Amino acid sequence: MSEYRGGAQARTALARRHRVRAWEPLPWIVALGFFFAFPKHLGFGTEVLVTILFALSLDLVLGYAGIVTLGHAAFFGVGAYTVGMLAKHGLWNEPLTSLALAGIVGAAVGLGSGLVLLRTRGLTLLMLTLCTMALLEEAGNLAHTWTGGFDGLDSLPIAPLLGRFEFSPLYPTTQYLYVLVVLFLCFVFVRTLVYSPFGQSLTGIRENILRMPAVGAPVPRRLAVCYTLSAGIAGIAGGIWAQANAYVNLGTLGLDRAATVLIMLALGGRGRLYGAFVGAIAYMVLSHFLSKIYPTAWQLGLGLLLVVIALFAHNGILGLGETVWRRLRVSRPLNMGAPQHRTPNPPL
Amino acid sequence: MTAPLLETRALTRNFGALLATREVDFRLDAGARHALIGPNGAGKTTLVNLLAGVISPTRGQVLLKGRDITGVGQAERVKLGIARTFQINRLFRGLSVLENVYIAVAERMGVAPSMFRPAGRRTDVVNESMHLLDTLRLTADAGRRVSELPYGRQRLVELAIALALSPEVLLLDEPAAGVPSAESHIILDAIDRLPPEIAVLIIDHDMDLVFRFAQRITVMVSGAVFASGTPREIGADPEVRAVYLGQTARG
Ligand SMILES: Nc1ncnc2c1ncn2[C@@H]1O[C@H](COP(=O)(O)OP(=O)(O)OP(=O)(O)O)[C@@H](O)[C@H]1O
Ligand SMILES: [Mg+2]
């Protein structure tokens, strides 16, 4: 390949990578289609959408900045309790503003804990995120006059959306569309972020955290910003979950939720934006059916699948797809002449 | 005599009982071509780490243009014009060559914190990165993932990242280390073509390179400066020949 073509290709790849691909509207069309095709399963659909949003927030820290955390449910829970306590105690129940508050409180807790925690790395960081979450959970348990303790808060009186659309637990049409719109907005935000110079510097931190200070990057500050934004989105996910279900309990900030979302992201493929979608859907659909077929041992099936993913598809389902796609393209005769210059950061 | 660009005064660093740097008084002049040599474990990398602010000294000072920067961190020193390469590659291995350089250029131009414009739309950063790759003859590899490149080319990317910071002081820690001799000329050519206004400190074990490249040579042994002078003085110093040069194939 000539110098000129190699350089021009690299330049074009970088200039175009943020462009919307032809297939990108597809997930949103499917989500809308689901609304009309499965009116009886909108409750499940809403749960999936919230989970995607939560997984997306984790992707920002884990997939892009490379921060391995086991405590991300802390922010989900903080957001959920913000909405829950405000509504239950008759303080505030307008959905949009309380959702914004859930995001702000999540972000604030993210910033506060991030400033301390992000000074550490690896296993220490993992343990500290876990401990922070456990502390919050215990605090939630102890402050039961406010949080309802172990039982949580139920029958939250959430006001109608925009003053018109009721949240009905039996026919969650409002919830589904509401969550879909919020997910879309958050997705656009995250997508913009990861393709920006800031996002590029996050990938730099992920790829080599030791090199970054040597190029003059204020690594702790950048990580704190990323962690705060991610915690804000997780807070929104938790807040909207509480609104959609009209209840909140300690399970929103437990290890179970934190570990599950991590598994989903690994399953779908981290650092790929759509990994959150694929992982959350694959996990939830699989566990849904496995639990029906093998009510007693379904988690075994999930465990086995994870082992397979970890061993053979390090980058999750999307990573596997990319590899197969590349092989197919390389073996096409049309491309045999020129060496393949792969795009290192695939659009997925 | 003009004030040195970068200077150390009685710089000392120990790792437990080990004195890795002892009372080093070192100076690097603007636009210098300075070589740092010494046997393995002499403390050369440690000195570079102290100059770059990766580690802080136990005692002593580092001064840049007369200003005490001993307490200034690594990232801030980069902003002050000190860049370095690593003896063992520290690259963004999963990213393209262009992205590797982009990260550094964006950081220098203050673009890196920006969140809402696509990175590829910052043509100023992209152009500058491509121009740099051009001068290092890396253009053809710009789109390739760094981990797919031969080691010699990776060493060139290591250099490119440092140059992307437009340094006044460039610290090169064994830039050709690990590169097969058939490829090492790529690195050496690139070093020869470095802009003359950059002050270069190079650590290397290749005496032919050192004596050809350097205007000044500092010899370190066991953490201390053993000798310092022009290549001619160092080459003629019997003690240096005894402790160091004698062991290598020179002369
Ligand atoms: N972080 C550290 N902790 C403990 N000891 C260290 C550390 N860094 C370096 N040393 C020790 O300090 C001494 C000097 O090491 P340094 O890497 O500076 O040598 P060098 O001159 O660069 O050697 P080489 O030519 O092999 O690269 C060695 O004995 C090394 O083991
Ligand atoms: Mg060394």
Side-chain angles (χ1 to χ4, degrees):
Chain A
M1 178 157 307
S2 75
E3 288 238 327
Y4 176 72
R5 270 193 59 199
Q9 266 187 4
R11 187 192 285 265
T12 323
L14 188 60
R16 288 206 184 138
R17 65 173 186 187
H18 60 273
R19 288 204 188 162
V20 178
R21 323 269 137 175
W23 53 263
E24 277 187 278
L26 203 68
W28 308 100
I29 295 171
V30 170
L32 269 181
F34 184 91
F35 178 79
F36 294 108
F38 301 100
K40 291 214 179 90
H41 295 94
L42 290 185
F44 177 71
T46 307
E47 190 76 25
V48 172
L49 293 180
V50 174
T51 310
I52 292 174
L53 181 56
F54 184 36
L56 188 67
S57 77
L58 181 66
D59 201 19
L60 195 55
V61 287
L62 180 78
Y64 286 91
I67 306 166
V68 185
T69 160
L70 246 182
H72 219 54
F75 312 119
F76 187 94
V78 162
Y81 273 96
T82 303
V83 164
M85 293 195 296
L86 286 176
K88 192 68 183 178
H89 300 294
L91 297 170
W92 194 254
N93 67 354
E94 198 286 317
L96 291 180
T97 38
S98 41
L99 189 62
L101 267 174
I104 291 168
V105 175
V109 175
L111 179 64
S113 61
L115 285 178
V116 182
L117 266 55
L118 293 172
R119 291 160 196 269
T120 64
R121 298 269 114 77
L123 197 59
T124 318
L125 178 57
L126 195 78
M127 295 312 291
L128 285 176
T129 56
L130 191 62
C131 292
T132 312
M133 189 173 66
L135 280 175
L136 276 171
E137 191 179 1
E138 201 44 47
N141 198 9
L142 289 175
H144 50 83
T145 41
W146 277 94
T147 62
F150 185 75
D151 300 324
L153 306 166
D154 57 9
S155 314
L156 299 176
I158 305 293
L161 187 62
L162 304 170
R164 285 175 60 187
F165 305 101
E166 290 281 349
F167 287 97
S168 151
L170 284 180
Y171 304 99
T173 49
T174 307
Q175 283 95 315
Y176 186 87
L177 292 177
Y178 172 47
V179 175
L180 186 59
V181 169
V182 170
L183 171 63
F184 180 74
L185 294 177
C186 289
F187 176 77
V188 170
F189 175 73
V190 173
R191 192 185 185 285
T192 310
L193 202 67
V194 300
Y195 288 128
S196 70
F198 178 81
Q200 184 73 67
S201 81
L202 292 184
T203 58
I205 294 175
R206 180 193 68 205
E207 293 292 320
N208 199 331
I209 193 165
L210 293 174
R211 185 62 186 253
M212 285 307 270
V215 301
V219 174
R221 194 195 315 161
R222 216 145 283 156
L223 284 180
V225 171
C226 171
Y227 201 64
T228 304
L229 292 173
S230 164
I233 298 171
I236 290 176
I240 214 166
W241 185 88
Q243 293 177 336
N245 293 305
Y247 80 94
V248 40
N249 61 7
L250 283 179
T252 55
L253 39 63
L255 176 59
D256 232 20
R257 186 175 294 272
T260 307
V261 73
L262 199 65
I263 290 168
M264 286 172 178
L265 204 56
L267 190 64
R270 68 205 136 89
R272 290 178 152 74
L273 283 178
Y274 289 96
F277 292 66
V278 173
I281 294 170
Y283 183 94
M284 292 181 78
V285 169
L286 268 176
S287 52
H288 184 77
F289 286 110
L290 281 176
S291 63
K292 274 196 178 155
I293 307 170
Y294 309 106
T296 47
W298 64 277
Q299 282 176 319
L300 195 69
L302 268 183
L304 280 176
L305 180 78
L306 271 173
V307 171
V308 171
I309 287 277
L311 285 179
F312 302 108
H314 201 64
N315 293 319
I317 296 171
L318 284 182
L320 197 67
E322 269 164 36
T323 314
V324 172
W325 172 245
R326 255 184 222 148
R327 293 255 166 89
L328 288 176
R329 280 183 52 156
V330 171
S331 61
R332 271 214 310 247
L334 209 137
N335 288 321
M336 287 297 273
Q340 281 287 305
H341 275 221
R342 299 180 195 166
T343 335
N345 241 356
L348 284 176
Chain B
M1 212 180 219
T2 53
L5 182 58
L6 189 63
E7 189 184 1
T8 72
R9 290 189 189 152
L11 201 65
T12 301
R13 166 76 202 209
N14 48 311
F15 295 112
L18 178 81
L19 258 181
T21 311
R22 18 181 130 202
E23 306 283 327
V24 170
D25 292 313
F26 173 83
R27 60 178 285 167
L28 186 71
D29 292 312
R33 292 290 180 269
H34 198 132
L36 183 60
I37 62 174
N40 290 116
K44 305 180 295 292
T45 299
T46 305
L47 182 60
V48 163
N49 284 338
L50 287 166
L51 294 175
V54 180
I55 56 176
S56 45
T58 314
R59 275 194 309 281
Q61 289 174 303
V62 181
L63 294 95
L64 183 71
K65 295 176 194 162
R67 179 189 152 198
D68 189 338
I69 57 163
T70 315
V72 175
Q74 194 184 355
E76 291 94 294
R77 284 193 203 189
V78 174
K79 303 279 187 238
L80 296 177
I82 304 178
R84 57 89 55 94
T85 65
F86 293 86
Q87 186 169 355
I88 297 164
N89 280 347
R90 282 195 184 170
L91 300 170
F92 310 114
R93 288 180 58 79
L95 307 182
S96 74
V97 172
L98 175 57
E99 284 173 303
N100 269 260
V101 175
Y102 185 103
I103 288 174
V105 174
E107 218 53 73
R108 168 176 49 86
M109 292 173 67
V111 170
S114 101
M115 292 181 179
F116 297 106
R117 249 176 94 184
R121 283 262 177 83
R122 290 300 307 229
T123 37
D124 48 347
V125 183
V126 177
N127 287 343
E128 188 129 3
S129 309
M130 288 305 296
H131 176 73
L132 178 63
L133 292 179
D134 216 30
T135 62
L136 289 171
R137 307 198 177 137
L138 273 168
T139 308
D141 292 321
R144 290 180 72 189
R145 195 191 293 250
V146 164
S147 59
E148 291 171 357
L149 295 180
Y151 197 77
R153 302 241 125 202
Q154 292 190 17
R155 287 307 272 168
L156 221 45
V157 178
E158 180 75 35
L159 184 63
I161 294 175
L163 284 175
L165 304 167
S166 299
E168 262 183 282
V169 176
L170 181 60
L171 311 169
L172 302 173
D173 195 352
E174 303 197 26
V179 180
S181 50
E183 283 176 44
S184 65
H185 69 95
I186 309 176
I187 314 283
L188 305 186
D189 288 349
I191 292 169
D192 279 339
R193 280 185 282 110
L194 288 175
E197 62 274 14
I198 300 180
V200 181
L201 176 68
I202 188 171
I203 300 177
D204 213 289
H205 288 294
D206 177 349
M207 286 309 126
D208 290 326
L209 163 73
V210 165
F211 278 84
R212 183 171 53 83
F213 174 81
Q215 300 151 347
R216 220 180 153 74
I217 297 176
T218 297
V219 186
M220 276 186 90
V221 177
S222 313
V225 172
F226 184 80
S228 191
T230 63
R232 186 188 294 266
E233 288 163 1
I234 295 298
D237 187 328
E239 286 189 60
V240 171
R241 295 184 73 93
V243 303
Y244 187 59
L245 297 179
Q247 300 160 7
T248 68
R250 188 177 166 85

